[in-house]
């Protein structure tokens, strides 16, 4: 009786050496690098779920816990690199920051006719209360053609009428104001900003509000000599002309104690930090320094609502302690430049004279005679230039 072999056939093993896995990165210095090392992050602390913060966590199932109140799942070795926000350079940050909620807004005012009407009503009420109390002079009664009335005397009702009419008249006439072009009022009540009035003409403003007048016209300011330095560190004195105006009255008035003093400090700080060209520099260098000063001051003063259009150095001179030495140095440089110019002119004149004499055949010169002629012409031309230069 034959027995059937039910044994599972074995897979024959390949003969020869086992092939190695294919290398992903290979060059002269590196043979192979594991892929998981290329995207390896620093180990992050694993969050520990606590009590009710865990929803549906299953131990041992490999499912990550979900956290209540967060919109993303925790990342565990996903290969994603952390993202960092690029910091703003210090030179691009404004010099100061004020309250962002302090922004100019229009105040609530009424036309001046409303104040005049209210004041007139108050005056009429006072006259009527006086006639009611019987204290109105007979001349006024005859002038106003009022009916004769004995009067009830000054009682509580009459005093109440006086108070109401007087308050109405005071509020009506006391709130009248005249708005002018180029001027604005910053209104405040108990230390709180209530708005800005830029309207013109006759207006009525609540008399309980504190008014601060601000000039919003285009203004020019010429500074006093301020310390500065050029690119080589030589001390200078610079007078700057600043063109500016108030753009946001709320910030300019309430953001700092004095916006004009703040602007002066900004200009002085900018001149001290930005190199200014020495006297006698080219026009392009002066314009470049003016543009740099304008950008700097406009950025610093913009934080308090000032708009700077131009900051130009109108006078640049050396500081008193170095003025004498730098003037001597400048005169020496100008003298050397003048001498070089004169010498170049003399050499060109001598060369032109000798060349013309030779090419036209007026003289035939050997080397010795040519050198002597060049020497005599050089002395003659230099003497003539020296007599003309003074």
């Amino acid at each position: 009786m034959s027995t059937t072999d039910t044994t599972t056939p074995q897979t024959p093993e390949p003969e020869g050496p086992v092939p190695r896995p294919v290398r992903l990165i290979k060059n002269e210095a590196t043979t192979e690098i594991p892929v998981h090392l290329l995207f390896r992050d620093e180990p992050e602390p694993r969050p520990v779920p606590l009590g009710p913060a865990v929803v549906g966590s299953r131990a041992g199932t490999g499912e990550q816990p979900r956290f209540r109140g967060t919109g993303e799942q925790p990342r565990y070795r996903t290969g994603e690199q952390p993202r960092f926000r690029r910091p703003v350079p210090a030179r691009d940050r404004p010099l100061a920051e004020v309250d962002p909620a302090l922004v100019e807004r229009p105040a609530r005012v009424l036309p001046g006719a409303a104040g005049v009407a209210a004041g007139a009503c108050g005056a009429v009420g006072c006259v009527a209360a006086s006639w009611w109390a019987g204290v109105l002079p007979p001349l006024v009664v005859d002038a106003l053609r009022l009916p004769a009335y004995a009067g009830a005397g000054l009682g509580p009702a009459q005093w109440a009428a006086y108070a109401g009419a007087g308050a109405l008249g005071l509020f009506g006439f006391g709130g009248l104001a005249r708005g002018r072009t180029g001027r604005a009022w910053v209104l405040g009540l108990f230390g709180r900003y209530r708005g800005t009035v830029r309207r013109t003409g006759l207006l009525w403003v609540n008399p309980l509000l504190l008014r601060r007048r601000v000039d919003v016209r285009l203004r020019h300011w010429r500074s006093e000599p301020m310390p500065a330095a050029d690119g080589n560190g030589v001390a200078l004195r610079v007078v700057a002309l600043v063109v500016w105006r108030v753009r946001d009255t709320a910030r300019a008035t309430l953001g700092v104690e004095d916006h004009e003093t703040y602007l002066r400090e900004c200009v002085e700080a900018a001149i001290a930090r930005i190199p200014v060209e020495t006297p006698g520099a080219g026009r392009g260098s002066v314009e470049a320094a003016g543009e740099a000063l304008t950008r700097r001051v406009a950025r610093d003063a913009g934080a308090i609502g000032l708009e700077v259009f131009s900051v130009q150095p109108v006078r640049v001179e050396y500081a008193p302690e170095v003025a004498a030495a730098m003037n001597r140095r400048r005169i020496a440089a100008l003298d050397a430049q003048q001498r070089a110019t004169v010498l170049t002119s003399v050499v060109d004149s001598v060369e032109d004279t000798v060349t013309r004499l030779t090419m036209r055949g007026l003289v035939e010169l050997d080397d010795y005679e040519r050198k002597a002629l060049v020497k005599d012409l050089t002395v003659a031309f230099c003497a003539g230039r020296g007599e003309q230069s003074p």
Side-chain angles (χ1 to χ4, degrees):
M1 183 175 181
S2 62
T3 305
T4 304
D5 190 4
T6 61
T7 306
T8 304
Q10 300 291 336
T11 305
E13 296 181 358
E15 298 180 357
V18 178
R20 301 181 61 185
V22 180
R23 293 187 291 268
L24 298 179
I25 300 177
K26 179 172 69 174
N27 54 23
E28 344 181 284
T30 306
T31 56
E32 57 180 318
I33 300 177
V35 178
H36 70 278
L37 294 180
L38 296 177
F39 306 97
R40 185 176 180 180
D41 298 348
E42 292 294 333
E44 300 180 356
R46 186 182 182 90
V48 179
L50 299 176
V54 181
V55 180
S57 60
R58 301 177 181 177
T61 60
E63 181 179 353
Q64 300 296 341
R66 293 175 296 171
F67 294 87
R68 182 176 299 167
T70 59
E72 60 179 0
Q73 298 290 340
R75 297 175 295 179
Y76 298 104
R77 298 186 181 277
T78 59
E80 181 180 353
Q81 300 295 333
R83 301 177 181 179
F84 299 95
R85 181 174 298 177
R86 184 179 180 181
V88 179
R91 64 176 182 273
D92 296 335
R93 299 174 185 171
L95 184 63
E97 290 290 346
V98 297
D99 186 5
L102 190 62
V103 181
E104 179 182 331
R105 63 178 183 271
R108 297 179 180 178
V109 296
L110 297 177
V116 173
C121 291
V124 172
C126 290
V127 172
S130 300
W131 174 79
W132 182 22
V135 296
L136 195 64
L139 294 178
V140 177
V141 173
D142 296 340
L144 297 178
R145 298 180 180 180
L146 297 175
Y149 181 68
L154 292 175
Q158 287 76 13
W159 284 115
Y162 268 122
L168 182 59
L170 290 177
F171 264 80
F173 289 123
L176 292 178
R178 183 183 62 174
R180 293 190 295 174
T181 303
R183 304 296 176 89
W185 283 311
V186 177
L187 307 181
L189 181 62
F190 304 118
R192 183 179 179 183
Y193 174 62
R194 305 298 296 178
T196 300
V197 179
R198 288 181 177 261
R199 297 171 57 180
T200 58
L202 186 62
L203 306 172
W204 184 86
V205 183
N206 188 350
L208 298 179
L209 299 178
L210 178 63
R211 309 175 190 177
R212 297 185 182 181
R213 186 180 295 274
V214 181
D215 191 348
V216 294
R217 296 173 297 180
L218 189 66
R219 305 171 65 181
H220 294 71
W221 171 62
R222 188 184 183 95
S223 70
E224 64 279 359
M226 297 182 177
D230 62 357
N232 298 325
V234 180
L236 303 174
R237 289 293 184 271
V238 177
V239 176
L241 180 64
V242 185
V243 182
W244 64 284
R245 71 175 179 181
V246 176
R247 185 185 71 251
D248 192 318
T249 56
R251 293 196 174 197
T253 306
L254 306 177
V256 290
E257 183 176 359
D258 187 358
H259 60 272
E260 296 185 5
T261 303
Y262 182 86
L263 178 62
R264 294 190 185 98
E265 298 295 337
C266 290
V267 173
E268 185 174 0
I271 291 178
R273 298 189 61 177
I274 297 177
V276 181
E277 294 299 329
T278 55
R283 183 179 181 86
S285 302
V286 177
E287 292 181 355
E291 293 177 359
L293 289 173
T294 302
R295 290 194 300 268
R296 178 79 185 190
V297 177
R299 179 167 54 86
D300 295 340
I304 63 166
L306 301 184
E307 187 174 5
V308 179
F309 296 94
S310 174
V311 180
Q312 295 295 333
V314 294
R315 191 178 68 187
V316 182
E317 56 186 14
Y318 292 107
E321 59 271 15
V322 298
M326 297 307 299
N327 286 332
R328 288 195 300 267
R329 180 179 177 181
R330 183 182 178 187
I331 292 173
L334 292 176
D335 190 14
Q337 183 179 3
Q338 180 68 18
R339 290 183 180 182
T341 304
V342 171
L343 182 59
T344 302
S345 177
V346 168
V347 171
D348 292 342
S349 301
V350 170
E351 181 182 4
D352 184 59
T353 303
V354 174
T355 302
R356 289 186 177 185
L357 291 175
T358 305
M359 293 181 62
R360 294 182 180 181
L362 299 178
V363 293
E364 294 182 359
L365 304 173
D366 55 6
D367 293 341
Y368 178 77
E369 294 174 345
R370 182 185 296 273
K371 292 180 181 180
L373 179 60
V374 168
K375 180 179 179 181
D376 295 340
L377 290 176
T378 303
V379 173
F381 285 150
C382 287
R385 297 282 183 177
E387 293 177 358
Q388 297 177 2
S389 56

